[in-house]
Amino acid sequence: MDQKLRDFLTAFLLIVLGVFTITSDARSWDIAIVIGDEIDFFSQNQTLIGEATVAGAVSLTGIAYDDKTRTLYLSDPKNNVSIFSNDLTTKNLTSKPLLLEQDTTYIVAMAFDSTSRTLFWCDAYKKTIMKMHVPTVGSPEKPVLLHTLKGIPRGIALDTCNSQVYWTNTDKQNPSIERSNMDGTNRTTVITKNLYEPIGLAIDHTEGKLYWSDDEEGIHFKIERSNLDGTERELILHSRNHQPVYLTIDKDFIYWNDWVHAAIWMIPKNITNPDLPSKFKSYDKSIKDVDPNAIITRDNVDTIDCDAILKKRSGKLELSEISQKVTLLESYNNLTTSTEEVESDNYQTCLNGGFFDRTERTCRCKSSYTGTKCEISLCHNYCLHGGECIVTSFGEVKCLCNGTFVGKRCERNLCEDYCLHDGICFLHETLPFCECKYSSGARCEILNEQPRLEVPKLETPTSSLSKFENTDSISCRCNENNHTSEKMINQNENCQSKTLIFVLIGLIVVLIILIVVMSFYLNKLRRRPRIKKRFVVSKSGVTPLTSRPQLTDNQCEITIENCCNMNICETPCFEPKLRTPMTKSNNAKKDEKNSLLDNMEGNSC
């Protein structure tokens, strides 16, 4: 049997016979987290209410939930079954496979639409957005390709009320957040600016908001939101040392997993101050060496009442239209002729776009105004030192500070008394830094050698100017801390410079004399005569060029060439040539020997 087929049958049996080993009731959960081959179920107060071990699973990644049938959908890229479902209504929590592994799939995120019973997912390996119809009875249909991307899709979310699917595109050249209809038509780009690597994605159906996480270059990351069409974009959190991959929300909080700290973090949606996020669950000291992956909240994926949500949204639009009509009515208040159109004078006195509530008979002001008649701006004298005041859609007042001022109202100057010794202070990522002039150190606290500064030209009488022209230039610099002055005299410096110049010239002259003397002696030594002698030893008894008797066999005689016809020559018969190089050719040596023999035959000392 093929090995791959045997692995598939093993995984299939594990799934069918008992996928879950659960320690407590997990049917009343609020938040579910997948980690390795487990699923942890929590309540909103961070209480662990159930743990489930998936038999046969290796590394769970994506998770989706159908609240109508109470079914969980899980994906495992390292298993032969890529997608399987789990029925949470039964005690044994049995499950069944939905999609087998085909051509190396890697499903990282999923979302389920209970209305059309369609499961959507991101395939990171194939860079595609896929969907598959999952009926309540029977086998699922074949997967359908929805979109092909240039980058890797990492997050997916559904706007069920408008029948639209959203996903993140981590294309390095053009990172974006896109959407289309659930049938694949009308594909558009929602967010494309100021993105580096958008990963996690979630939709708040009640408020009509889109949330996403952006893993910026380096150690920074952002949590942002906007309307479903990308307008009214807001920055919720900009921090560091997190790697958020999966993102979800409920009515009050935003949750994301973090692969750096192996934890789940949370932060309020409508945050009113820049508090740091808190840990919802830490897996740093877990026995399993794995990181938490997908996280899902039941609050945001349960049965959604789209009619109530649409009425709420349309009610906001009606309030906006009524506010415009009231403004128009104020401009034509002289034409009002009946009390039916305006029930009281207060109806016309709501300022700055405020709306008069006829039931409570009070003004409902916009988020940036307050007061009985909406006459007080929340930004009035709020931001200090030229800070720009803004009011968010939640009525939160924020200040965009200028220069080196920080704080909630731009009240604190970080550079005040920070840089010493005339150092220039500037901010970099909300931290003060110093640019030093004539000192060093983080705050310019270390004084360097004090430079000379030019004497400023002052408008003084002619007599005073002549005095300055006749005196040596003396410069000084005052220190603001110790109020002392130091004078530097140029005459002494000039004398020292001249002395150094004379010393250098003397050294150069001595070196030149040494070079000339050494050259003379070297030239003289090269002209000395070179006399080369060659000693010939004869062992055969033959003694050439001599009148002595023949030697015996056990004696030898040394003959010195270039001498007279005698055994011992004190003086050669001729003077050797000076500086005559020895030729290395055999012919030249023979010629020289023959010439020597000829000279010795006819001459004697």
Side-chain angles (χ1 to χ4, degrees):
M1 184 181 295
D2 185 52
Q3 182 66 31
K4 187 174 183 180
L5 180 59
R6 283 186 293 179
D7 294 340
F8 164 70
L9 292 177
T10 303
F12 178 79
L13 290 175
L14 289 173
I15 291 174
V16 173
L17 293 179
V19 171
F20 284 94
T21 301
I22 193 163
T23 59
S24 62
D25 185 15
R27 287 174 288 177
S28 59
W29 58 277
D30 294 323
I31 300 170
I33 304 169
V34 296
I35 174 170
D37 60 347
E38 294 182 354
I39 304 177
D40 293 344
F41 298 92
F42 293 89
S43 62
Q44 194 178 31
N45 61 2
Q46 305 179 18
T47 301
L48 179 65
I49 61 176
E51 292 178 328
T53 301
V54 183
V58 180
S59 178
L60 299 174
T61 53
I63 184 173
Y65 181 67
D66 178 18
D67 190 67
K68 290 183 179 180
T69 60
R70 303 191 65 179
T71 303
L72 271 179
Y73 298 93
L74 301 171
S75 65
D76 189 350
K78 297 182 180 180
N79 201 334
N80 291 325
V81 180
S82 297
I83 301 177
F84 46 88
S85 62
N86 306 273
D87 188 2
L88 298 183
T89 58
T90 60
K91 294 182 179 180
N92 295 329
L93 299 177
T94 58
S95 64
K96 63 179 181 179
L98 298 180
L99 179 65
L100 306 181
E101 182 185 3
Q102 298 175 354
D103 300 331
T104 313
T105 59
Y106 199 101
I107 299 174
V108 293
M110 297 190 301
F112 186 79
D113 178 28
S114 58
T115 304
S116 62
R117 297 210 53 82
T118 305
L119 182 66
F120 297 82
W121 68 83
C122 300
D123 193 329
Y125 184 81
K126 296 181 179 179
K127 299 180 180 180
T128 57
I129 305 296
M130 307 290 293
K131 71 174 183 177
M132 180 175 62
H133 179 64
V134 183
T136 54
V137 180
S139 302
E141 298 180 359
K142 293 183 178 180
V144 178
L145 174 63
L146 203 64
H147 298 291
T148 301
L149 284 66
K150 293 183 179 180
I152 298 175
R154 300 294 298 272
I156 191 169
L158 299 179
D159 180 11
T160 56
C161 295
N162 295 312
S163 298
Q164 291 179 329
V165 55
Y166 290 73
W167 65 89
T168 58
N169 186 356
T170 60
D171 183 15
K172 293 297 183 182
Q173 302 297 328
N174 186 23
S176 61
I177 299 176
E178 302 178 71
R179 74 178 180 186
S180 72
N181 296 331
M182 290 186 178
D183 59 359
T185 60
N186 194 23
R187 178 178 175 178
T188 57
T189 301
V190 181
I191 303 291
T192 185
K193 294 181 179 179
N194 297 326
L195 290 177
Y196 183 76
E197 189 177 1
I199 300 180
L201 192 66
I203 288 180
D204 188 346
H205 303 281
T206 304
E207 299 294 334
K209 293 291 184 179
L210 178 68
Y211 289 78
W212 69 90
S213 62
D214 189 4
D215 190 4
E216 291 187 307
E217 185 176 10
I219 62 175
H220 298 274
F221 76 99
K222 293 188 296 185
I223 304 293
E224 296 184 85
R225 70 180 169 195
S226 70
N227 293 333
L228 296 177
D229 58 356
T231 59
E232 297 186 12
R233 183 173 176 178
E234 298 178 72
L235 176 63
I236 298 177
L237 178 66
H238 190 191
S239 187
R240 63 180 69 188
N241 297 326
H242 283 199
Q243 188 178 1
V245 182
Y246 294 93
L247 180 75
T248 189
I249 61 168
D250 60 12
K251 293 180 180 179
D252 302 315
F253 294 94
I254 308 169
Y255 305 87
W256 67 90
N257 73 324
D258 175 22
W259 284 354
V260 175
H261 300 87
I264 304 296
W265 298 83
M266 60 184 294
I267 194 172
K269 287 196 304 184
N270 301 328
I271 187 170
T272 57
N273 51 53
D275 292 336
L276 295 177
S278 59
K279 280 187 180 181
F280 180 83
K281 173 63 177 178
S282 176
Y283 292 94
D284 188 25
K285 297 182 180 180
S286 177
I287 300 176
K288 295 187 176 182
D289 189 17
V290 290
D291 295 322
N293 281 326
I295 177 172
I296 190 172
T297 55
R298 187 176 178 181
D299 186 18
N300 196 48
V301 294
D302 57 2
T303 303
I304 301 171
D305 189 355
C306 293
D307 293 335
I309 292 174
L310 292 176
K311 285 181 180 180
K312 184 178 180 180
R313 294 179 185 175
S314 61
K316 290 182 179 180
L317 294 176
E318 289 177 0
L319 286 176
S320 177
E321 293 176 356
I322 292 173
S323 177
Q324 293 178 0
K325 291 180 180 179
V326 170
T327 304
L328 181 64
L329 182 62
E330 289 177 358
S331 60
Y332 293 97
N333 56 1
N334 292 331
L335 300 179
T336 304
T337 57
S338 71
T339 57
E340 295 178 355
E341 296 178 356
V342 180
E343 292 183 357
S344 66
D345 293 338
N346 292 333
Y347 185 83
Q348 301 181 22
T349 55
C350 296
L351 306 176
N352 299 307
F355 169 68
F356 182 74
D357 190 343
R358 297 182 181 182
T359 303
E360 298 181 359
R361 304 188 66 80
T362 57
C363 288
R364 290 189 176 182
C365 306
K366 289 185 176 181
S367 58
S368 56
Y369 293 93
T370 186
T372 56
K373 298 182 180 180
C374 307
E375 73 279 5
I376 302 174
S377 174
L378 296 178
C379 286
H380 180 67
N381 292 335
Y382 185 79
C383 298
L384 306 176
H385 302 103
E388 181 182 356
C389 179
I390 58 173
V391 181
T392 64
S393 57
F394 299 96
E396 178 186 357
V397 183
K398 293 183 178 181
C399 291
L400 301 179
C401 303
N402 298 324
T404 59
F405 292 93
V406 294
K408 189 175 181 180
R409 300 184 60 189
C410 307
E411 70 279 4
R412 185 161 53 96
N413 186 4
L414 287 181
C415 284
E416 184 177 1
D417 298 330
Y418 184 79
C419 298
L420 306 176
H421 302 114
D422 296 335
I424 300 175
C425 179
F426 62 93
L427 295 184
H428 179 65
E429 295 182 355
T430 69
L431 295 176
F433 289 87
C434 293
E435 182 178 348
C436 305
K437 292 183 178 179
Y438 46 84
S439 57
S440 59
R443 299 183 61 188
C444 305
E445 68 275 9
I446 303 173
L447 276 174
N448 298 335
E449 183 180 356
Q450 298 179 357
R452 293 184 292 111
L453 301 178
E454 295 182 356
V455 178
K457 296 181 180 180
L458 303 176
E459 295 183 0
T460 56
T462 307
S463 58
S464 300
L465 289 175
S466 60
K467 293 180 181 179
F468 279 106
E469 292 175 355
N470 294 330
T471 58
D472 297 330
S473 69
I474 301 175
S475 60
C476 64
R477 178 175 54 81
C478 299
N479 194 328
E480 293 181 0
N481 294 331
N482 51 24
H483 302 284
T484 61
S485 60
E486 297 181 358
K487 298 183 180 181
M488 302 175 68
I489 304 176
N490 292 338
Q491 266 188 342
N492 295 335
E493 292 184 355
N494 293 334
C495 293
Q496 294 178 359
S497 300
K498 291 179 181 180
T499 303
L500 290 175
I501 292 173
F502 287 134
V503 171
L504 290 176
I505 292 174
L507 290 175
I508 292 172
V509 171
V510 171
L511 289 175
I512 293 174
I513 293 172
L514 289 175
I515 292 171
V516 172
V517 172
M518 291 177 65
S519 300
F520 173 76
Y521 280 103
L522 286 176
N523 188 34
K524 185 176 180 180
L525 291 174
R526 289 178 62 185
R527 295 182 62 85
R528 293 180 61 185
R530 298 179 183 178
I531 301 174
K532 295 184 179 180
K533 295 181 180 181
R534 185 174 62 178
F535 297 88
V536 180
V537 178
S538 176
K539 294 183 180 181
S540 61
V542 180
T543 306
L545 304 178
T546 182
S547 58
R548 295 184 63 184
Q550 187 174 358
L551 301 176
T552 61
D553 294 336
N554 58 356
Q555 294 182 355
C556 66
E557 181 178 9
I558 299 176
T559 303
I560 302 176
E561 294 183 359
N562 297 339
C563 292
C564 299
N565 192 11
M566 57 181 65
N567 291 330
I568 298 176
C569 279
E570 295 180 356
T571 303
C573 296
F574 64 93
E575 289 292 335
K577 296 181 180 179
L578 298 178
R579 300 174 60 104
T580 302
M582 296 292 294
T583 58
K584 296 182 180 181
S585 61
N586 295 330
N587 295 330
K589 292 181 179 180
K590 291 180 181 180
D591 294 342
E592 183 181 353
K593 186 175 182 180
N594 293 332
S595 176
L596 181 62
L597 293 174
D598 293 339
N599 292 332
M600 286 197 282
E601 287 178 358
N603 300 309
S604 61
C605 297

